[in-house]
Amino acid sequence: MADDVRPLIGIIDAHGGKLDLAAYESHDGYAGARSALTEMTPPDVIDLVKAANLRGRGGAGFPTGMKWSFVPQGDDVGLKYLVCNGDEMEPGTFKDRYLITYNPHVLIEGMIIGAFAIQAEEGYVFLRGEYHEPYAELDKAIKEAYAKGYLGKNIFGTDFSFDLRIHSSGGRYICGEETALLNALEGKRANPRQKPPFPPASGAWGRPTIVNNVESYCNVPGILRNGAQWYQDLGSGDDAGTKMYGVSGRVNKPGLWELPIGTTVRQIIDEHAGGMRDGYRLRGFLPGGASTDFLVEEHLDLAMDYGTIQAAGSRMGTGTMILMDDSICPVDMVRNLEHFFAQESCGFCTPCRDGLPWVEELLIDIEEGRAQEGDLELLERNAQFIGGPTNTFCLHAPGAIEPLQSALKYFREDFEEHIKTGKCPYNGRA
Ligand SMILES: Cc1cc2nc3c(=O)[nH]c(=O)nc-3n(C[C@H](O)[C@H](O)[C@H](O)COP(=O)(O)O)c2cc1C
Ligand code: SF4
């Protein structure tokens, strides 16, 4: 990680370990929250986050300051909630787990600032159920923050109060979708809700609610401490700030790095992940988790930012990429992903509940040599029904179908060879 980006989140190389409260404070920790609460008004904070051009790090890249500005303001609005999305069940994604475990205070500080900006008095961190270590670290940090007066009544001697609790998820991928998350938080079945109304107007228990990703909140304290221009200058592409980029697959050093947003795919893989392991060639990669479209070698010099990756036909998503090397059968990899997505459908709408298992079955047939001519066209047609933006109630199904549609585009010859030869050409090659 470059030295000049350390102060922002500052968790990875700077200390090589977990940042407790004393270590975090020694790096100006909670100075951003102090300046927001004691020197600024809530609209000032929202304007600053808008000017910094922070885009949500949960996948869609929605501007954070703009989202906060949708919350109704005024003394008569009543109770509001600030929620952190730490569900992180996207295969290949592990950035939020790392942030919470190694620097829980930067998340807490970001949430205090967010809560002040929208004037929320209660907050929740919705955490993936299996995240036992992050839970323990966050729980400890929240207690430390209460003891220091950073949480609770009259923070920094002001009249602003904020309580923060952790909600450990029952554990489904769909709990990461923000409205399903709110249902789960309320103790209901985790089905997505009809939108509109969007959560800033009507969210948890029908109250105005902001849901942001862990990494999004973690970016906020640095903006308060150093200003919007400083934050904008950290980015090297069209977007501002830094990004937690991750790589998994057959590279020499799989891992996670905080880098200027807009670092190229090649730099991330070669300079930070140490390049492909000897004997393996990169065939394709899912740039932002399992629910994004494959890109291939010709895209290696693209900047990993929202606009560039979208223009190439995929999405930056979570920014944690999964590599596919030449020992991996694309049909089998996609079958594995579709198995996950079919299993995680909430079951509410037919194209997703019935379509994804159907797709999985056909992929198993192709992989095991039982497919026939015409099956690829059938697969493609059904993928279109499942993936259309308005065919399903939430974006689970369109996301689920992205790796399949792009694999049919870039690795079609592999699918065809399975059908022609009646077997998987990769068997025994890995
Ligand atoms: C099926 C599905 C799963 C999702 N999972 C997550 C998740 O685990 N974490 C997350 O932050 N956002 C997830 N999202 C996106 C959230 O709905 C929401 O857009 C995000 O939490 C907003 O935060 P941001 O604006 O800070 O990016 C998911 C969306 C869908 C459709
Ligand atoms: S698309 Fe899938 S996960 Fe989303 S509401 Fe429909 S059935 Fe549920």
Side-chain angles (χ1 to χ4, degrees):
M1 183 172 61
D3 279 344
D4 58 347
V5 298
R6 270 185 201 161
L8 179 62
I9 298 178
I11 52 154
I12 297 192
D13 289 342
H15 294 271
K18 294 173 182 170
L19 280 185
D20 61 12
L21 180 59
Y24 184 61
E25 284 178 321
S26 75
H27 286 81
D28 282 339
Y30 290 99
R34 186 183 294 276
S35 97
L37 270 60
T38 60
E39 295 161 23
M40 297 170 79
T41 64
D44 287 344
V45 175
I46 293 176
D47 286 347
L48 182 67
V49 175
K50 270 188 188 165
N53 191 23
L54 168 61
R55 298 180 64 173
R57 304 300 198 230
F62 192 84
T64 304
M66 189 188 294
K67 189 190 277 189
W68 292 1
S69 72
F70 296 152
V71 172
Q73 292 288 0
D75 293 339
D76 53 342
V77 176
L79 202 55
K80 299 173 208 166
Y81 294 102
L82 189 89
V83 176
C84 172
N85 190 342
D87 190 62
E88 196 165 65
M89 272 189 69
E90 181 77 20
T93 300
F94 48 97
K95 65 188 181 67
D96 299 338
R97 167 164 64 89
Y98 204 94
L99 285 168
I100 296 172
T101 307
Y102 284 82
N103 196 353
H105 283 287
V106 76
L107 170 63
I108 297 170
E109 185 181 2
M111 290 191 73
I112 295 168
I113 296 165
F116 175 73
I118 66 156
Q119 293 288 289
E121 289 191 7
E122 287 186 30
Y124 292 91
V125 179
F126 188 97
L127 197 59
R128 177 173 175 167
E130 294 92 338
Y131 277 5
H132 302 297
E133 190 185 5
Y135 185 101
E137 294 299 331
L138 185 60
D139 187 49
K140 190 174 84 189
I142 288 176
K143 287 182 177 127
E144 286 173 335
Y146 268 107
K148 270 274 182 148
Y150 298 150
L151 287 171
K153 293 266 172 256
N154 303 113
I155 302 172
F156 302 121
T158 66
D159 59 7
F160 179 69
S161 303
F162 179 57
D163 282 312
L164 185 60
R165 298 179 180 86
I166 311 174
H167 176 100
S168 184
S169 170
R172 292 308 298 267
Y173 177 70
I174 198 60
C175 291
E177 195 281 335
E178 59 183 6
T179 59
L181 180 155
L182 295 174
N183 274 337
L185 189 63
E186 292 180 18
K188 297 176 182 151
R189 181 176 166 162
N191 283 356
R193 294 178 181 173
Q194 172 84 44
K195 293 194 255 188
F198 291 91
S202 174
W205 295 280
R207 307 299 314 158
T209 302
I210 284 296
V211 182
N212 274 127
N213 172 253
V214 172
E215 189 186 350
S216 312
Y217 288 121
C218 291
N219 276 250
V220 173
I223 296 172
L224 267 288
R225 280 199 305 271
N226 301 296
Q229 192 59 50
W230 170 86
Y231 187 76
Q232 293 229 6
D233 291 346
L234 287 173
S236 66
D238 286 343
D239 291 314
T242 62
K243 177 80 194 75
M244 301 299 295
Y245 290 118
V247 176
S248 54
R250 286 198 174 95
V251 284
N252 287 305
K253 289 189 299 170
L256 184 71
W257 308 270
E258 183 192 7
L259 299 171
I261 199 164
T263 302
T264 68
V265 179
R266 192 186 296 281
Q267 283 172 310
I268 296 168
I269 295 176
D270 287 350
E271 290 173 24
H272 300 282
M276 298 302 290
R277 272 164 43 191
D278 277 352
Y280 295 102
R281 187 175 68 80
L282 179 69
R283 281 202 75 198
F285 60 97
L286 299 164
S291 64
T292 57
D293 288 271
F294 275 102
L295 293 178
V296 292
E297 226 173 342
E298 73 192 64
H299 301 115
L300 283 177
D301 290 309
L302 294 183
M304 272 285 275
D305 62 42
Y306 296 101
T308 307
I309 298 297
Q310 190 170 355
S314 187
R315 291 184 301 114
M316 185 162 81
T318 61
T320 42
M321 52 181 104
I322 304 172
L323 308 192
M324 185 180 79
D325 63 74
D326 57 354
S327 72
I328 295 171
C329 169
V331 177
D332 196 40
M333 179 164 169
V334 173
R335 178 208 53 75
N336 186 24
L337 296 176
E338 298 309 332
H339 171 71
F340 170 80
F341 289 124
Q343 185 177 271
E344 294 301 324
S345 165
C346 85
F348 187 74
C349 38
T350 310
C352 178
R353 181 192 58 237
D354 294 345
L356 290 176
W358 184 91
V359 159
E360 186 198 347
E361 284 302 314
L362 191 46
L363 287 168
I364 293 172
D365 282 349
I366 297 174
E367 178 64 8
E368 296 181 356
R370 290 187 297 276
Q372 308 161 11
E373 220 163 292
D375 277 356
L376 288 192
E377 291 69 24
L378 192 61
L379 196 55
E380 240 158 8
R381 220 172 33 250
N382 279 281
Q384 273 166 13
F385 290 138
I386 297 170
T390 53
N391 294 350
T392 53
F393 198 62
C394 87
L395 292 176
H396 174 77
I401 221 68
E402 285 180 20
L404 170 63
Q405 285 178 313
S406 49
L408 284 168
K409 176 170 156 196
Y410 290 117
F411 314 116
R412 197 176 186 91
E413 70 280 11
D414 291 272
F415 287 77
E416 286 167 348
E417 195 179 344
H418 281 73
I419 296 176
K420 206 163 93 204
T421 61
K423 60 182 175 38
C424 173
Y426 288 78
N427 275 346
R429 256 168 63 176

